[in-house]
Structures are given as C-alpha cells and as structure tokens.
Short mmCIF file of all heavy atoms in Angstrom, two decimals:
data_model
loop_
_atom_site.label_atom_id
_atom_site.label_comp_id
_atom_site.label_asym_id
_atom_site.label_seq_id
_atom_site.Cartn_x
_atom_site.Cartn_y
_atom_site.Cartn_z
N ARG A 24 15.97 117.21 126.71
CA ARG A 24 15.15 116.13 126.20
C ARG A 24 15.84 114.80 126.41
O ARG A 24 15.19 113.80 126.69
CB ARG A 24 14.85 116.40 124.72
CG ARG A 24 13.97 115.32 124.16
CD ARG A 24 13.28 115.74 122.89
NE ARG A 24 12.44 114.69 122.41
CZ ARG A 24 11.13 114.60 122.61
NH1 ARG A 24 10.53 115.55 123.27
NH2 ARG A 24 10.44 113.60 122.15
N GLU A 25 17.16 114.78 126.26
CA GLU A 25 17.90 113.54 126.43
C GLU A 25 17.74 112.99 127.85
O GLU A 25 17.62 111.78 128.04
CB GLU A 25 19.38 113.76 126.13
CG GLU A 25 19.66 114.05 124.68
CD GLU A 25 21.13 114.36 124.43
OE1 GLU A 25 21.97 114.03 125.28
OE2 GLU A 25 21.42 114.94 123.37
N VAL A 26 17.72 113.87 128.83
CA VAL A 26 17.56 113.45 130.23
C VAL A 26 16.19 112.80 130.43
O VAL A 26 16.06 111.76 131.07
CB VAL A 26 17.74 114.65 131.18
CG1 VAL A 26 17.40 114.28 132.61
CG2 VAL A 26 19.17 115.18 131.09
N PHE A 27 15.14 113.42 129.86
CA PHE A 27 13.80 112.87 130.00
C PHE A 27 13.68 111.52 129.28
O PHE A 27 13.03 110.60 129.78
CB PHE A 27 12.76 113.85 129.47
CG PHE A 27 12.48 114.98 130.42
CD1 PHE A 27 13.04 116.23 130.20
CD2 PHE A 27 11.66 114.81 131.51
CE1 PHE A 27 12.79 117.27 131.07
CE2 PHE A 27 11.41 115.84 132.39
CZ PHE A 27 11.97 117.08 132.17
N GLU A 28 14.28 111.42 128.11
CA GLU A 28 14.22 110.15 127.39
C GLU A 28 14.93 109.03 128.16
O GLU A 28 14.44 107.90 128.22
CB GLU A 28 14.83 110.31 126.00
CG GLU A 28 13.96 111.12 125.07
CD GLU A 28 14.60 111.39 123.72
OE1 GLU A 28 15.74 110.95 123.50
OE2 GLU A 28 13.96 112.05 122.90
N ALA A 29 16.07 109.35 128.77
CA ALA A 29 16.78 108.36 129.57
C ALA A 29 15.95 107.95 130.79
O ALA A 29 15.88 106.78 131.14
CB ALA A 29 18.13 108.90 130.01
N ALA A 30 15.31 108.91 131.42
CA ALA A 30 14.48 108.62 132.59
C ALA A 30 13.28 107.75 132.20
O ALA A 30 12.89 106.84 132.93
CB ALA A 30 13.99 109.92 133.23
N LYS A 31 12.72 108.03 131.03
CA LYS A 31 11.58 107.23 130.55
C LYS A 31 12.00 105.80 130.27
O LYS A 31 11.25 104.86 130.54
CB LYS A 31 10.99 107.87 129.30
CG LYS A 31 9.71 107.23 128.83
CD LYS A 31 9.09 107.99 127.69
CE LYS A 31 7.81 107.33 127.25
NZ LYS A 31 7.14 108.09 126.19
N GLN A 32 13.21 105.61 129.75
CA GLN A 32 13.70 104.26 129.50
C GLN A 32 13.97 103.50 130.80
O GLN A 32 13.71 102.30 130.89
CB GLN A 32 14.97 104.30 128.65
CG GLN A 32 14.72 104.68 127.22
CD GLN A 32 16.01 104.76 126.42
OE1 GLN A 32 17.11 104.69 126.96
NE2 GLN A 32 15.87 104.88 125.11
N ARG A 33 14.47 104.21 131.81
CA ARG A 33 14.77 103.54 133.09
C ARG A 33 13.50 103.19 133.86
O ARG A 33 13.45 102.16 134.54
CB ARG A 33 15.65 104.45 133.96
CG ARG A 33 17.10 104.46 133.55
CD ARG A 33 17.99 105.09 134.61
NE ARG A 33 17.58 106.43 134.96
CZ ARG A 33 18.06 107.56 134.40
NH1 ARG A 33 18.95 107.48 133.44
NH2 ARG A 33 17.64 108.73 134.80
N HIS A 34 12.48 104.07 133.80
CA HIS A 34 11.24 103.85 134.57
C HIS A 34 10.02 104.14 133.70
O HIS A 34 9.31 105.14 133.93
CB HIS A 34 11.22 104.77 135.81
CG HIS A 34 12.34 104.52 136.75
ND1 HIS A 34 12.38 103.43 137.60
CD2 HIS A 34 13.48 105.20 136.97
CE1 HIS A 34 13.50 103.48 138.31
NE2 HIS A 34 14.19 104.54 137.93
N PRO A 35 9.72 103.30 132.73
CA PRO A 35 8.59 103.57 131.83
C PRO A 35 7.25 103.59 132.55
O PRO A 35 6.30 104.21 132.08
CB PRO A 35 8.67 102.43 130.81
CG PRO A 35 9.47 101.37 131.45
CD PRO A 35 10.41 102.06 132.40
N GLU A 36 7.16 102.95 133.71
CA GLU A 36 5.88 102.93 134.45
C GLU A 36 5.51 104.31 134.98
O GLU A 36 4.36 104.56 135.33
CB GLU A 36 5.95 101.92 135.60
CG GLU A 36 6.88 102.29 136.75
CD GLU A 36 8.35 101.98 136.52
OE1 GLU A 36 8.74 101.49 135.45
OE2 GLU A 36 9.12 102.25 137.46
N ARG A 37 6.46 105.21 135.06
CA ARG A 37 6.19 106.57 135.55
C ARG A 37 5.66 107.50 134.46
O ARG A 37 5.28 108.62 134.74
CB ARG A 37 7.46 107.17 136.15
CG ARG A 37 7.96 106.45 137.36
CD ARG A 37 9.19 107.13 137.90
NE ARG A 37 9.74 106.42 139.04
CZ ARG A 37 10.83 106.78 139.68
NH1 ARG A 37 11.51 107.85 139.30
NH2 ARG A 37 11.27 106.09 140.69
N TRP A 38 5.68 107.05 133.22
CA TRP A 38 5.31 107.90 132.09
C TRP A 38 4.02 107.41 131.48
O TRP A 38 3.90 106.28 131.05
CB TRP A 38 6.43 107.88 131.05
CG TRP A 38 7.71 108.41 131.60
CD1 TRP A 38 8.62 107.74 132.35
CD2 TRP A 38 8.20 109.74 131.47
NE1 TRP A 38 9.65 108.57 132.69
CE2 TRP A 38 9.43 109.81 132.16
CE3 TRP A 38 7.74 110.88 130.82
CZ2 TRP A 38 10.18 110.96 132.23
CZ3 TRP A 38 8.49 112.03 130.88
CH2 TRP A 38 9.69 112.06 131.58
N SER A 39 3.02 108.29 131.40
CA SER A 39 1.73 107.91 130.84
C SER A 39 1.64 108.21 129.35
O SER A 39 0.73 107.74 128.67
CB SER A 39 0.61 108.65 131.56
OG SER A 39 0.77 110.05 131.41
N GLY A 40 2.55 109.01 128.81
CA GLY A 40 2.50 109.37 127.40
C GLY A 40 3.85 109.83 126.90
O GLY A 40 4.89 109.50 127.48
N ASP A 41 3.81 110.60 125.84
CA ASP A 41 5.04 111.11 125.26
C ASP A 41 5.61 112.25 126.11
O ASP A 41 4.92 112.83 126.94
CB ASP A 41 4.79 111.64 123.85
CG ASP A 41 4.54 110.52 122.85
OD1 ASP A 41 4.99 109.39 123.13
OD2 ASP A 41 3.90 110.78 121.82
N ILE A 42 6.87 112.55 125.86
CA ILE A 42 7.52 113.67 126.52
C ILE A 42 6.99 114.94 125.88
O ILE A 42 6.94 115.06 124.66
CB ILE A 42 9.06 113.57 126.37
CG1 ILE A 42 9.55 112.28 127.03
CG2 ILE A 42 9.74 114.79 126.95
CD1 ILE A 42 10.99 111.95 126.71
N ARG A 43 6.60 115.91 126.71
CA ARG A 43 6.02 117.13 126.16
C ARG A 43 7.07 117.99 125.48
O ARG A 43 8.26 117.81 125.66
CB ARG A 43 5.31 117.92 127.25
CG ARG A 43 6.25 118.51 128.27
CD ARG A 43 5.50 119.36 129.26
NE ARG A 43 5.20 118.57 130.44
CZ ARG A 43 4.93 119.08 131.61
NH1 ARG A 43 4.89 120.36 131.78
NH2 ARG A 43 4.68 118.30 132.63
N LYS A 44 6.60 118.91 124.68
CA LYS A 44 7.47 119.82 123.95
C LYS A 44 8.23 120.68 124.97
O LYS A 44 7.60 121.31 125.83
CB LYS A 44 6.63 120.69 123.03
CG LYS A 44 7.42 121.63 122.18
CD LYS A 44 6.49 122.43 121.29
CE LYS A 44 7.26 123.49 120.54
NZ LYS A 44 6.39 124.35 119.76
N LEU A 45 9.54 120.71 124.89
CA LEU A 45 10.35 121.39 125.88
C LEU A 45 11.03 122.66 125.36
O LEU A 45 11.93 123.17 126.00
CB LEU A 45 11.42 120.44 126.43
CG LEU A 45 10.89 119.19 127.11
CD1 LEU A 45 12.01 118.21 127.39
CD2 LEU A 45 10.18 119.55 128.38
N SER A 46 10.58 123.17 124.22
CA SER A 46 11.21 124.37 123.68
C SER A 46 10.77 125.61 124.46
O SER A 46 9.67 125.66 125.01
CB SER A 46 10.87 124.53 122.20
OG SER A 46 9.48 124.71 122.04
N LEU A 47 11.63 126.59 124.50
CA LEU A 47 11.36 127.83 125.21
C LEU A 47 10.87 128.89 124.23
O LEU A 47 11.25 128.88 123.06
CB LEU A 47 12.62 128.33 125.91
CG LEU A 47 13.19 127.41 126.98
CD1 LEU A 47 14.54 127.95 127.48
CD2 LEU A 47 12.23 127.26 128.13
N PRO A 48 10.05 129.84 124.68
CA PRO A 48 9.62 130.91 123.80
C PRO A 48 10.80 131.80 123.42
O PRO A 48 11.77 131.93 124.18
CB PRO A 48 8.59 131.68 124.63
CG PRO A 48 8.88 131.33 126.04
CD PRO A 48 9.49 129.96 126.04
N GLU A 49 10.72 132.42 122.24
CA GLU A 49 11.81 133.28 121.80
C GLU A 49 11.86 134.58 122.58
O GLU A 49 12.92 135.10 122.87
CB GLU A 49 11.66 133.57 120.31
CG GLU A 49 11.92 132.35 119.45
CD GLU A 49 11.87 132.67 117.98
OE1 GLU A 49 12.13 133.83 117.61
OE2 GLU A 49 11.58 131.75 117.20
N ILE A 50 10.69 135.15 122.91
CA ILE A 50 10.63 136.43 123.60
C ILE A 50 9.77 136.27 124.86
O ILE A 50 8.70 135.68 124.81
CB ILE A 50 10.01 137.51 122.71
CG1 ILE A 50 10.86 137.71 121.46
CG2 ILE A 50 9.86 138.82 123.46
CD1 ILE A 50 10.25 138.66 120.45
N VAL A 51 10.25 136.84 125.96
CA VAL A 51 9.51 136.83 127.21
C VAL A 51 9.43 138.26 127.72
O VAL A 51 10.43 138.98 127.72
CB VAL A 51 10.20 135.93 128.27
CG1 VAL A 51 9.46 135.98 129.58
CG2 VAL A 51 10.31 134.51 127.76
N HIS A 52 8.25 138.69 128.15
CA HIS A 52 8.07 140.04 128.66
C HIS A 52 7.71 139.98 130.14
O HIS A 52 6.88 139.18 130.54
CB HIS A 52 6.93 140.75 127.93
CG HIS A 52 7.19 140.95 126.47
ND1 HIS A 52 7.95 141.97 125.99
CD2 HIS A 52 6.79 140.23 125.38
CE1 HIS A 52 8.01 141.90 124.68
NE2 HIS A 52 7.31 140.83 124.29
N LEU A 53 8.34 140.84 130.92
CA LEU A 53 8.01 140.92 132.33
C LEU A 53 6.63 141.54 132.50
O LEU A 53 5.79 141.04 133.23
CB LEU A 53 9.06 141.75 133.08
CG LEU A 53 8.85 141.90 134.56
CD1 LEU A 53 8.84 140.54 135.25
CD2 LEU A 53 9.95 142.76 135.15
N ASN A 54 6.38 142.63 131.82
CA ASN A 54 5.08 143.31 131.85
C ASN A 54 4.65 143.58 130.41
O ASN A 54 4.91 144.64 129.87
CB ASN A 54 5.17 144.64 132.61
CG ASN A 54 5.46 144.43 134.07
OD1 ASN A 54 4.84 143.60 134.70
ND2 ASN A 54 6.42 145.17 134.60
N PRO A 55 4.00 142.60 129.77
CA PRO A 55 3.63 142.79 128.37
C PRO A 55 2.64 143.93 128.20
O PRO A 55 1.83 144.20 129.09
CB PRO A 55 3.01 141.46 127.98
CG PRO A 55 2.59 140.82 129.25
CD PRO A 55 3.53 141.35 130.30
N GLU A 56 2.73 144.59 127.06
CA GLU A 56 1.78 145.65 126.76
C GLU A 56 0.39 145.05 126.64
O GLU A 56 0.20 143.98 126.10
CB GLU A 56 2.16 146.35 125.46
CG GLU A 56 3.48 147.08 125.54
CD GLU A 56 3.44 148.26 126.51
OE1 GLU A 56 2.40 148.93 126.61
OE2 GLU A 56 4.47 148.49 127.17
N ARG A 57 -0.58 145.77 127.14
CA ARG A 57 -1.97 145.31 127.07
C ARG A 57 -2.76 146.28 126.22
O ARG A 57 -2.44 147.45 126.13
CB ARG A 57 -2.60 145.25 128.46
CG ARG A 57 -1.92 144.28 129.37
CD ARG A 57 -2.63 144.26 130.69
NE ARG A 57 -1.91 143.40 131.62
CZ ARG A 57 -2.19 143.30 132.89
NH1 ARG A 57 -3.17 144.01 133.42
NH2 ARG A 57 -1.51 142.49 133.67
N ASP A 58 -3.84 145.78 125.65
CA ASP A 58 -4.74 146.67 124.93
C ASP A 58 -5.39 147.58 125.95
O ASP A 58 -5.78 147.13 127.03
CB ASP A 58 -5.82 145.87 124.19
CG ASP A 58 -5.23 145.05 123.05
OD1 ASP A 58 -4.17 145.46 122.51
OD2 ASP A 58 -5.84 144.02 122.70
N PRO A 59 -5.53 148.86 125.65
CA PRO A 59 -6.18 149.75 126.63
C PRO A 59 -7.61 149.30 126.89
O PRO A 59 -8.33 148.91 125.98
CB PRO A 59 -6.12 151.12 125.97
CG PRO A 59 -5.73 150.89 124.56
CD PRO A 59 -5.14 149.52 124.45
N VAL A 60 -7.99 149.36 128.13
CA VAL A 60 -9.35 148.97 128.53
C VAL A 60 -10.24 150.20 128.43
O VAL A 60 -9.96 151.20 129.07
CB VAL A 60 -9.37 148.41 129.98
CG1 VAL A 60 -10.78 148.05 130.40
CG2 VAL A 60 -8.44 147.22 130.07
N PRO A 61 -11.29 150.12 127.63
CA PRO A 61 -12.17 151.30 127.53
C PRO A 61 -12.87 151.52 128.87
O PRO A 61 -13.33 150.60 129.51
CB PRO A 61 -13.17 150.92 126.44
CG PRO A 61 -13.07 149.45 126.30
CD PRO A 61 -11.73 149.03 126.79
N GLN A 62 -12.90 152.79 129.28
CA GLN A 62 -13.55 153.11 130.54
C GLN A 62 -14.99 153.52 130.28
O GLN A 62 -15.32 154.09 129.26
CB GLN A 62 -12.81 154.23 131.25
CG GLN A 62 -11.42 153.81 131.69
CD GLN A 62 -10.76 154.87 132.55
OE1 GLN A 62 -11.32 155.91 132.80
NE2 GLN A 62 -9.55 154.59 132.98
N ALA A 63 -15.84 153.21 131.24
CA ALA A 63 -17.23 153.55 131.14
C ALA A 63 -17.40 155.08 131.19
O ALA A 63 -16.60 155.77 131.82
CB ALA A 63 -18.05 152.89 132.24
N ALA A 64 -18.44 155.59 130.58
CA ALA A 64 -18.69 157.04 130.58
C ALA A 64 -18.95 157.50 131.99
O ALA A 64 -19.58 156.83 132.80
CB ALA A 64 -19.89 157.33 129.70
N GLY A 65 -18.40 158.66 132.32
CA GLY A 65 -18.63 159.23 133.65
C GLY A 65 -17.53 158.91 134.65
O GLY A 65 -17.59 159.34 135.79
N PHE A 66 -16.53 158.17 134.24
CA PHE A 66 -15.44 157.87 135.17
C PHE A 66 -14.22 158.69 134.89
O PHE A 66 -13.83 159.00 133.86
CB PHE A 66 -15.07 156.38 135.12
CG PHE A 66 -16.10 155.50 135.78
CD1 PHE A 66 -17.08 154.90 135.02
CD2 PHE A 66 -16.07 155.29 137.14
CE1 PHE A 66 -18.01 154.08 135.62
CE2 PHE A 66 -17.00 154.47 137.75
CZ PHE A 66 -17.98 153.87 136.98
#
C-alpha cells in the first residue's frame, strides 16, 4: 500500500479514485469443492 500511495503522490493525474483494497484472502483452493450437480433422469 505504501508503494501505491507514493506513486499516487508523485503522479496524481494517473489516479481516478482511491487505492483499492489490497488484502489477500486467508484461504485459496486450487480446485474448490463444488456442490454436486443433479443429473437428469435417464443419464
């Protein structure tokens, strides 16, 4: 965030709004579990 704030101060014309939230998610899944998809009858 400090890098983005410094960049915004140096070149404010490049920034149209606030700096977006830069936090990372706590858990990341490569292949998250999905709800089973019900299959149509006869398949």
Side-chain angles (χ1 to χ4, degrees):
R24 182 161 181 98
E25 292 176 18
V26 172
F27 283 101
E28 288 175 0
K31 187 174 181 177
Q32 288 179 351
R33 282 194 304 267
H34 300 284
E36 69 278 2
R37 296 182 183 178
W38 298 81
S39 61
D41 288 336
I42 298 169
R43 69 176 96 158
K44 182 179 173 185
L45 299 170
S46 62
L47 298 174
E49 291 184 26
I50 299 174
V51 177
H52 297 279
L53 181 60
N54 294 313
E56 295 294 325
R57 297 182 185 172
D58 292 333
V60 179
Q62 294 188 359
F66 287 95

